[in-house]
């Protein structure tokens, strides 16, 4: 079923000049207050939006986790393009699949999605000609028993055609590109972000598919059940999970046969993992074990980089091909001398060409090691090997490793504040980047802002070549400098700032609670994905104030303040920007009065001048 509707005045926005009046989930730190930027909400009421793309002609396409695909045209037409209902997971039988047509799925557990669903979108690079979109989703009817009491389903990466006239998705146009296994009945960490490399190949980030609960958040290596042991996925050369995968547009493996496209780094190689019983009966290894029992396992040829927990978002530097990957960290809230470091969020750097191992589940941060624990009897056996000498890979037939050493995180930060209880046996830079503050941790590098864009809504030039990082848990957006040629990040605190446009756009007719929550937090509502549009604005999704809650998501953008599209009628249904009123707000034309919640939230918000100034974030 597909639906078409025109945005009505209740989706028009207010423009407010903002100075934060509520405490923020961050430590005291200076941040830019940028009055030459504007923040606008383009659509509200979307349920669990996870992935966004902007077409060359300015259409915004986003996917909700329940498989709904939405299109917002520049003229303000909102179309439900299709409903690709994904499989359920975390249930005792998962059969039959939930009846999505007669009733909505249960989003809170058994019979619903849990963390399954639609996780990734990517426009084909020839989208203007072929109208194809890559989509990564869990697929109904794929669950099967692969070993006694072990059930796997599948995520499929497919392409679909979006009709350029009706903006409706053609389900019959599906072409399956790649299938990725998922342990269906217990947990989580599925990844799903997609991006192109400069050579035209595609990367897919896949999570480790492991429940870390039994390991207390210190590196899941519990052998009592395969879904508790990330050695079988993230650290397993033969498995697709816990990896960055790389492939051609048709799903084939880059093997060096095409000029200008180098082969995947681990083709013809085997990796070392002494913690896996690599017998031919182990479905995680399959028939790829050359000499079972020696710890060397043949690589799956799709593997580009490995050793990830939940690689949630990626950003490709357009010139160098360097890939920055967010690694959602584990939940351990404090160091444990018998287990290892607390949980850390990571942003990892994958060089163009790949071939790196990021240590999960044995290492975290800049290669801090976990303890080798027998989780059945809790006996410990020393620190795991996270050194530069750790064997990673060798050519099949060789006896010496040709790839050695785990690769540490480029940037990392812990949940909570550094309180002096850090592990004294390690050089512990717990508060190396104080600008990120404290709280939960979900980093999301999503885009490098292009210096060559000349769109009418482009951001100021100080954003050129900078990496934009969203933070889902802490509700902010971070700007990080980079070298325009190499993509190397400038990680000095003085070269970072929180993106804080003072004009705040809100829907005056909504009674949804996200408006109040936004003002209280002084930040975006769990920003989850974003992209620079052809007009130079940065478009992004806000997941909403509550996990799993339907109808609280937003589609928003940040652009230059006071600027308009070349054609004012192509502005996603928004009215022209009203002149700022000092000490108050100006409703958009046709807007209803502010709801009580919005009025209460607006108290204390004042207009600011056009000059940029510093303010204190607390």
């Amino acid at each position: 079923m597909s639906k078409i509707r025109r945005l009505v005045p209740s989706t028009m926005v207010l423009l407010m000049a903002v100075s934060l009046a509520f405490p923020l989930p961050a430590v005291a730190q200076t941040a830019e207050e940028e009055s030459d930027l504007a923040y606008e909400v383009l659509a509200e009421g979307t349920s669990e939006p996870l992935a966004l793309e902007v077409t060359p002609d300015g259409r915004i396409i986003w996917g909700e986790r329940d498989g709904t695909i939405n299109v917002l045209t520049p003229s303000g037409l909102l179309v439900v393009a299709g409903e690709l209902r994904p499989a359920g997971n975390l249930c005792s039988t998962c059969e039959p699949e939930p009846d999505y047509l007669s009733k909505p799925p249960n989003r809170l557990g058994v019979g619903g999605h849990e963390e399954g669903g639609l996780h990734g979108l990517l426009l084909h690079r020839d989208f203007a000609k072929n109208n194809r979109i890559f989509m990564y989703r869990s697929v109904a009817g794929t669950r099967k028993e692969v070993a006694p009491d072990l059930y796997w389903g599948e995520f499929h990466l497919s392409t679909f055609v979006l009709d350029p006239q009706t903006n409706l998705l053609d389900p019959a146009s599906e072409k399956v590109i790649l299938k990725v296994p998922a342990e269906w009945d217990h947990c989580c960490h599925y990844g799903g972000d997609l991006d192109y490399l400069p050579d035209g190949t595609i990367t897919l980030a896949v999570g480790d598919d492991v429940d870390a609960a039994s390991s207390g958040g210190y590196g899941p290596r519990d052998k009592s059940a395969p879904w508790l042991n990330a050695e079988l996925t993230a650290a397993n050369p033969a498995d697709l999970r816990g990896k960055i995968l790389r492939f051609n547009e048709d799903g084939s493996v880059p093997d060096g046969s095409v000029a200008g496209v180098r082969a995947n780094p681990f083709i013809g190689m085997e990796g070392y993992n002494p913690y896996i019983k690599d017998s031919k009966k182990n479905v995680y290894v399959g028939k790829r074990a050359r000499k079972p029992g020696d710890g060397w396992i043949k690589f799956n040829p799709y593997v580009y980089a490995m050793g990830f927990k939940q690689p949630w978002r990626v950003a490709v530097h357009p010139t160098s091909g360097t890939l920055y990957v967010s690694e959602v960290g584990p939940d351990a809230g404090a160091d444990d001398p018998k287990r290892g470091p607390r949980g850390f969020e990571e942003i990892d750097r994958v060089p163009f060409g790949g071939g790196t191992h990021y240590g999960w589940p044995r290492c975290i941060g800049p290669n801090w090691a976990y303890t080798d624990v027998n989780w059945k009897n809790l006996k410990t056996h020393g620190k795991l090997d996270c050194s530069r000498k750790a064997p990673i890979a060798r050519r099949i037939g060789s006896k010496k490793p040709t790839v050695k050493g785990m690769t540490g995180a480029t940037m990392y930060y812990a949940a909570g504040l550094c309180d002096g209880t850090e592990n004294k046996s390690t050089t512990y830079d717990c508060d190396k980047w104080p600008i990120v503050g404290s709280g939960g941790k979900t980093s999301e590098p999503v885009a490098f802002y292009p210096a060559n864009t000349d769109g009418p809504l482009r951001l100021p030039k100080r954003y050129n070549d900078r990496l934009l990082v969203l933070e889902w848990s802490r509700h902010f957006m971070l700007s990080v400098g980079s070298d325009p040629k190499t993509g190397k990040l400038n990680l000095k605190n003085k070269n970072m700032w929180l993106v804080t446009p003072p004009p705040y756009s809100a829907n005056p007719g909504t009674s949804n609670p996200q408006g109040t929550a936004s003002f209280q937090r002084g930040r975006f509502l769990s920003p989850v994905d974003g992209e620079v549009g052809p007009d130079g604005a940065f478009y992004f999704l806000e997941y909403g104030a509550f996990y799993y809650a339907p109808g609280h998501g937003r589609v928003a953008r940040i652009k230059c303040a006071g600027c308009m599209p070349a054609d004012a009628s192509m502005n996603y249904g928004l009215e022209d920007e009203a002149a700022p009123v000092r000490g108050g707000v100006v409703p958009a034309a046709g807007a209803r009065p502010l709801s009580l919640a919005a009025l209460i939230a607006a108290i204390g918000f004042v207009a600011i001048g056009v000059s940029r100034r510093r303010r204190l974030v607390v």
Side-chain angles (χ1 to χ4, degrees), residues 212 215-221 230-231 275 307 309 327-346 358-365 367-373 375 380-387 423 426 428 441:
S215 301
Y218 290 99
R221 304 177 65 255
E231 293 284 0
Y275 305 107
K309 173 183 176 282
E327 175 76 313
V328 180
D331 295 333
D335 303 314
D336 187 324
K338 294 184 178 181
R339 304 290 181 263
R342 67 184 66 187
F344 278 84
E345 188 75 10
E346 297 182 9
Y358 294 85
W360 187 257
R362 303 173 209 166
C363 326
I364 197 167
N367 288 339
W368 293 321
Y370 288 115
T371 302
D372 187 3
V373 180
W375 290 99
T380 59
H381 305 281
K383 294 290 185 181
L384 293 160
D385 189 359
C386 295
S387 70
N423 189 338
T426 308
Y428 222 108
K441 48 187 181 17

Side-chain angles (χ1 to χ4, degrees), residues 40 62 85 222 253 284 342 372 376 472 527:
E40 297 176 338
W62 74 94
R85 297 310 186 198
D222 187 347
V253 174
Y284 287 86
R342 67 184 66 187
D372 187 3
K376 287 185 178 181
W472 191 95

Side-chain angles (χ1 to χ4, degrees), residues 64-252:
E64 300 174 3
R65 195 165 65 91
D66 70 357
T68 302
I69 307 298
N70 305 280
V71 179
L72 178 61
T73 70
S75 62
L77 188 67
L78 180 60
V79 180
V80 178
E83 296 173 326
L84 303 173
R85 297 310 186 198
N89 69 339
L90 199 68
C91 51
S92 59
T93 63
C94 291
E95 298 293 347
E97 297 291 344
D99 183 0
Y100 293 108
L101 296 179
S102 63
K103 59 182 179 180
N106 173 8
R107 296 174 181 273
L108 298 178
V110 176
H113 303 310
E114 191 59 15
E115 290 190 13
L118 177 72
H119 279 222
L121 293 179
L122 179 67
L123 296 183
H124 195 286
R125 60 177 173 171
D126 294 325
F127 176 81
K129 296 180 180 179
N130 62 22
N131 301 296
R132 285 201 168 269
I133 307 175
F134 293 93
M135 300 186 184
Y136 186 69
R137 74 198 196 284
S138 55
V139 177
T142 59
R143 179 181 181 268
K144 62 182 179 180
E145 190 174 28
V146 296
D149 297 321
L150 180 62
Y151 293 84
W152 288 359
E154 290 177 350
F155 274 75
H156 287 184
L157 176 64
S158 303
T159 64
F160 291 86
V161 171
L162 184 73
D163 188 290
Q165 303 301 321
T166 65
N167 287 304
L168 300 180
L169 207 65
D170 179 7
S173 67
E174 180 179 13
K175 292 182 179 179
V176 179
I177 302 300
L178 188 65
K179 299 178 180 180
V180 177
E183 195 282 319
W184 220 238
D185 295 2
H186 294 89
C187 193
C188 43
H189 304 166
Y190 299 128
D193 207 15
L194 296 150
D195 215 335
Y196 272 99
L197 293 174
D199 61 3
T201 58
I202 298 172
T203 61
L204 168 65
V206 182
D208 69 354
D209 193 14
V210 165
D211 184 350
S214 70
S215 301
Y218 290 99
R221 304 177 65 255
D222 187 347
K223 296 181 181 179
S224 63
W227 53 84
L228 302 175
N229 185 7
E231 293 284 0
L232 294 173
T233 58
N236 178 5
D239 198 85
L240 294 176
R241 287 164 284 195
K243 310 290 194 303
I244 302 297
L245 310 179
R246 174 176 174 255
F247 43 89
N248 297 312
E249 290 172 330
D250 61 0
S252 61

